[in-house]
Amino acid sequence: MRLSTRTSLLGCLALLAPISALAVEPEANELAPITVSEQEEQGSEATKIELQREQALTPGGVTLLEAEDLTERNVVSIGDMLRYVPGMWTGTGSTGDDTFISSRGSNLDAVAYDGNGIKLMVDGLPVTAADGNNHNSFIDPLAARYAVIARGANALTYGASTLGGAINFISPTARNTDNQIYLSGGSHGTVQSRITAGGVEGDLDGLVTVEQRSYDGFRDHQEQQRGSVYANTGWQINDTVENRFYFTYVDNDQELPGSLTQAQFDDDPYQANPNNIPGNFLKNVESWRVANRTQWQLSDTSNLVVGFSFEDQHLYHPIVENPFFSLLIDNDQTTFGTNIRYDKQLGNHDFLFGLNYGETRVKGGNYSHTGGIRGALDVRVDNKADNLEIFAMDRWHFADRWTLVYGAQAVTGTREVDNVTVASGTERNPKDDYESINPRVGVIYQVADRSELFANVSKLYEAPTLYELEDDADTSDETLDAMQGVVGEIGTRGAAHLGQASEWNWEVSVYYAQLENEILSMDNPSASGTSLALNVEDTIHAGVEALVGASFALGNDGQRIEPLLSMTYNDFTFDNDPEYGDNQLPVAPTFFIKGEVMYRHGNGFFAGPTFDIVDDRYGDFANNKDVDGYELLGLRTGVTRDSWEVYLEGRNLTDEVYVTNVSVSNDETINPVGIQAGEPRSVYAGVRFDF
């Protein structure tokens, strides 16, 4: 199954089937039980059907991806995976596979390393730390079987109320994945290899993937070495109970080329920051994670899932060195998480109850360093956070073609920073409790068998991260307020035939959010490389997200033309701010368009152009730094067969010099904005063998 307008990205041809089924027998006005055969449960279709069902019962923007569709092109990062997901602005180029992600305007500040605003989950269990940060979260998109991207308040289905929403990665198992060898490589010294092997023996199954990646980079001081192991084993205890154990190990070492001023960029966009090579700035993370998940099919209409996870990360991170100040972060972060989900269909109601709990502890210190060699301990760090989310939802099919979706999330959490300056013994100990009730109501109207309209109004809530509390502009023990606001959204998705052999599909969302106390981190002019966090009283986040695709038949021999277009319009602004008025928020462009037009033959051959059109954006809050937009042209071709596949991809064929990442400044005229170049002309090839 390939990534095309007919399959996983929209899932429109199948995702609407569950809701269509609700209208088949309007007299009964009841939800049909969700039951699958034992054979289906052991394959991939049961999981896919369930994910599509949740997508179809969400009155807002949700996208379902199948990871096997990604092997047609070079995919090493979450940014590559999210290429055609509207509303998701991603930037790569800082390191080998690190990705800056902003969803609906999250994370538009100087703390790009924090990565907050989006909750990352694997099999429903947290990867994001309990305080909401994703600083050390390296997720290999090819290690997932599916990914569900629920934007904004639509992530309430997973218990999240963050501005950007949630991404849930679903692991492959031996019951839905072939043994496989995958090799890829190309420009900038890129070499990636992975082997997946497993088997099924009665009620037991197991799957292991071993992966290795090396990368020289297209900038100076950008080398990466990564090795990973992903494993899971399952036990079908009886017809209604399954238990699965997961293990992940990642050892990822990356050199950091850093940001450049505009003058440095104009001189050589691919050079490293002059401080980064002598300072040997690195981001080395070694992590391991274990998880366990048990699913009970209590009846034909009820299901219970209980899971636990534990992750340990060790970070070695020299990041600042100048004549006045140096910083090397050396710490261990441990995160425990648990998840409970209970789904019950009762008449024409589909109830969902859930609980997420996470607890994170960060112990270590901030050190001085010379050339990346750790020196004296400057600040002893012992930070902790916990977060509890309880959520309930009812999808009520109250009339023919109509479904009312309503529910709420209760969230409570604690943040505590304990930093002791060794030289003076001074202690900073900001700590606070955060809690909120976040309601949501929406409606879905079934226009036709495979198309629907939807709308929702929801509350957003997001407490500060430990990083933001450490960087609080108020250096006392006062704490930041949580961000909160209200968002409204309307949209449509669906699929329709064009004649007898062609079809098209679409997904469109329009949203408007008014936020209070958004946490923005602004550059600290007194200590280069650091930032200060503060609450901004009022901001507005609005936008339009659209994904449109089609599959046009050319004759009767399996030839098709398949265009795909992802379009996003952003309007993120201050709202009558005392200092910045109604200025635009930086980083995210006003609009960006990504697309492709693929020719496909019935024998598996495919070829076609890809393109990116990105508008200008600002780099500072004062709107004095305008970052130019750009246009990119690429080409993909290859052959896909049942048991093997090969691809060739060219990117940025015109060798455009452009900016991908922006390090925000308060005002370009006072402190220069940092910028990083995107990938120059590049060529990649890959091959997959199933065995």
Side-chain angles (χ1 to χ4, degrees):
M1 194 173 293
R2 304 273 50 88
L3 177 61
S4 72
T5 59
R6 294 174 295 162
T7 55
S8 63
L9 187 57
L10 285 173
C12 284
L13 298 182
L15 75 87
L16 296 169
I19 285 191
S20 299
L22 305 185
V24 171
E25 299 181 11
E27 298 83 7
N29 201 33
E30 293 186 354
L31 288 166
I34 299 299
T35 58
V36 292
S37 69
E38 181 178 353
Q39 181 178 3
E40 287 175 324
E41 287 178 340
Q42 295 177 351
S44 62
E45 286 305 305
T47 301
K48 183 177 178 180
I49 290 170
E50 180 62 23
L51 294 174
Q52 289 172 339
R53 173 175 172 269
E54 287 210 0
Q55 182 186 37
L57 290 172
T58 302
V62 178
T63 299
L64 171 63
L65 294 176
E66 289 187 66
E68 69 174 13
D69 297 331
L70 305 178
T71 56
E72 276 193 353
R73 53 191 174 95
N74 190 56
V75 173
V76 296
S77 68
I78 296 180
D80 293 327
M81 181 192 76
L82 297 176
R83 172 174 170 78
Y84 294 118
V85 179
M88 307 290 292
W89 172 248
T90 63
T92 57
S94 173
T95 56
D97 56 5
D98 236 357
T99 301
F100 169 80
I101 307 176
S102 174
S103 174
R104 296 192 170 182
S106 64
N107 206 28
L108 300 182
D109 57 15
V111 191
Y113 61 79
D114 196 1
N116 63 307
I118 300 175
K119 185 166 188 153
L120 301 179
M121 313 173 82
V122 175
D123 301 300
L125 291 160
V127 173
T128 295
D131 66 332
N133 89 78
N134 293 310
H135 182 41
N136 304 338
S137 300
F138 298 96
I139 296 183
D140 179 358
L142 296 182
R145 182 66 180 85
Y146 300 99
V148 181
I149 301 95
R151 299 184 293 282
N154 300 298
L156 180 61
T157 305
Y158 297 98
S161 66
T162 52
L163 176 60
I167 304 177
N168 187 27
F169 298 85
I170 309 299
S171 299
T173 73
R175 297 185 184 273
N176 61 28
T177 302
D178 294 326
N179 295 338
Q180 185 179 107
I181 295 175
Y182 177 78
L183 303 171
S184 66
S187 299
H188 324 304
T190 301
V191 178
Q192 182 173 218
S193 60
R194 58 195 309 125
I195 181 168
T196 299
V200 178
E201 185 65 39
D203 295 330
L204 300 176
D205 67 83
L207 187 73
V208 177
T209 296
V210 178
E211 179 260 359
Q212 182 67 41
R213 169 172 160 78
S214 61
Y215 177 69
D216 294 337
F218 56 85
R219 295 182 61 192
D220 297 334
H221 200 66
Q222 200 182 17
E223 185 177 341
Q224 177 196 15
Q225 296 290 332
R226 185 186 74 198
S228 310
V229 177
Y230 312 97
N232 68 78
T233 181
W235 177 24
Q236 189 71 44
I237 299 173
N238 56 42
D239 290 343
T240 61
V241 181
E242 181 193 35
N243 179 267
R244 188 163 296 278
F245 174 83
Y246 305 86
F247 173 79
T248 300
Y249 173 79
V250 178
D251 187 5
N252 191 41
D253 293 347
Q254 299 185 141
E255 296 177 338
L256 303 178
S259 299
L260 304 175
T261 65
Q262 186 65 59
Q264 292 167 337
F265 186 91
D266 293 340
D267 179 58
D268 178 4
Y270 306 120
Q271 66 176 307
N273 183 290
N275 294 325
N276 283 42
I277 294 178
N280 195 24
F281 294 174
L282 308 170
K283 186 177 181 182
N284 296 344
V285 180
E286 184 178 17
S287 65
W288 59 270
R289 178 180 184 270
V290 293
N292 188 271
R293 184 176 184 270
T294 303
Q295 178 169 331
W296 288 268
Q297 186 73 37
L298 301 177
S299 70
D300 288 345
T301 59
S302 61
N303 187 65
L304 175 66
V305 177
V306 178
F308 303 91
S309 65
F310 180 83
E311 182 171 15
D312 179 86
Q313 299 177 346
H314 178 249
L315 172 69
Y316 187 86
H317 189 26
I319 188 57
V320 179
E321 185 179 23
N322 57 53
F324 311 103
F325 175 70
S326 67
L327 172 63
L328 183 151
I329 302 172
D330 189 350
N331 64 37
D332 282 289
Q333 175 179 289
T334 58
T335 297
F336 167 79
T338 186
N339 165 263
I340 302 173
R341 288 172 65 91
Y342 174 71
D343 186 86
K344 173 66 176 179
Q345 294 179 12
L346 186 63
N348 54 359
H349 295 267
D350 186 339
F351 295 103
L352 173 64
F353 303 95
L355 178 150
N356 298 326
Y357 176 75
E359 184 176 307
T360 293
R361 185 77 176 263
V362 181
K363 298 192 71 172
N366 298 338
Y367 296 79
S368 61
H369 76 100
T370 302
I373 305 300
R374 194 179 73 181
L377 175 65
D378 293 329
V379 178
R380 184 177 295 109
V381 174
D382 188 1
N383 300 340
K384 62 189 73 172
D386 61 65
N387 212 61
L388 173 65
E389 300 160 335
I390 301 174
F391 54 99
M393 186 183 305
D394 178 21
R395 284 76 67 98
W396 176 24
H397 181 56
F398 66 92
D400 183 24
R401 297 185 180 275
W402 289 92
T403 302
L404 180 67
V405 181
Y406 61 97
Q409 176 212 52
V411 58
T412 179
T414 301
R415 308 287 187 269
E416 181 176 358
V417 169
D418 189 357
N419 289 183
V420 178
T421 302
V422 175
S424 64
T426 304
E427 181 179 15
R428 279 199 68 225
N429 188 217
K431 58 182 177 180
D432 209 343
D433 297 324
Y434 297 89
E435 56 186 30
S436 179
I437 302 293
N438 308 312
R440 170 177 169 85
V441 62
V443 65
I444 300 171
Y445 175 68
Q446 192 75 28
V447 178
D449 286 346
R450 297 191 298 161
S451 62
E452 65 182 16
L453 301 173
F454 55 78
N456 78 78
V457 177
S458 310
K459 181 180 178 182
L460 296 165
Y461 182 84
E462 189 172 334
T465 69
L466 293 171
Y467 284 102
E468 290 169 333
L469 291 182
E470 282 187 318
D471 296 338
D472 193 344
D474 185 343
T475 57
S476 70
D477 285 346
E478 294 297 317
T479 56
L480 295 162
D481 294 326
M483 180 215 74
Q484 56 187 318
V486 177
V487 59
E489 179 179 2
I490 60 173
T492 176
R493 59 184 163 225
H497 290 294
L498 294 172
Q500 294 184 342
S502 301
E503 58 201 19
W504 74 293
N505 45 50
W506 66 91
E507 176 184 334
V508 180
S509 293
V510 181
Y511 68 93
Y512 181 89
Q514 291 186 317
L515 305 180
E516 298 176 358
N517 295 319
E518 182 172 0
I519 301 170
L520 296 176
S521 297
M522 303 182 181
D523 212 60
N524 182 3
S526 64
S528 177
T530 65
S531 57
L532 300 175
L534 69 162
N535 288 114
V536 176
E537 187 171 349
D538 295 302
T539 53
I540 294 172
H541 289 242
V544 180
E545 305 164 347
L547 187 61
V548 181
S551 181
F552 299 107
L554 302 177
N556 299 317
D557 57 355
Q559 299 184 72
R560 310 186 74 86
I561 294 292
E562 296 187 343
L564 182 64
L565 193 64
S566 174
M567 299 169 286
T568 300
Y569 171 79
N570 297 318
D571 187 14
F572 308 141
T573 66
F574 293 98
D575 187 13
N576 198 28
D577 185 79
E579 184 172 359
Y580 298 112
D582 294 330
N583 280 4
Q584 293 282 329
L585 291 172
V587 178
T590 303
F591 71 84
F592 56 94
I593 301 171
K594 298 183 180 183
E596 65 181 32
V597 181
M598 288 292 128
Y599 164 80
R600 297 184 182 275
H601 194 279
N603 63 11
F605 173 78
F606 63 90
T610 65
F611 55 89
D612 299 55
I613 303 173
V614 177
D615 192 28
D616 294 353
R617 58 203 138 133
Y618 288 109
D620 62 346
F621 294 107
N623 288 179
N624 288 324
K625 173 59 177 176
D626 187 65
V627 180
D628 291 338
Y630 55 88
E631 297 81 36
L632 304 179
L633 179 66
L635 180 67
R636 294 198 293 118
T637 186
V639 177
T640 298
R641 298 291 175 85
D642 289 340
S643 60
W644 62 272
E645 179 177 61
V646 62
Y647 76 84
L648 178 67
E649 179 181 9
R651 296 182 178 179
N652 191 9
L653 298 180
T654 60
D655 205 20
E656 176 87 1
V657 176
Y658 65 99
V659 174
T660 180
N661 282 333
V662 176
S663 297
V664 176
S665 165
N666 294 10
D667 188 337
E668 165 74 6
T669 63
I670 299 174
N671 198 34
V673 170
I675 56 179
Q676 298 182 36
E679 187 176 29
R681 183 187 294 119
S682 308
V683 178
Y684 301 98
V687 61
R688 168 187 61 86
F689 296 102
D690 294 343
F691 63 94

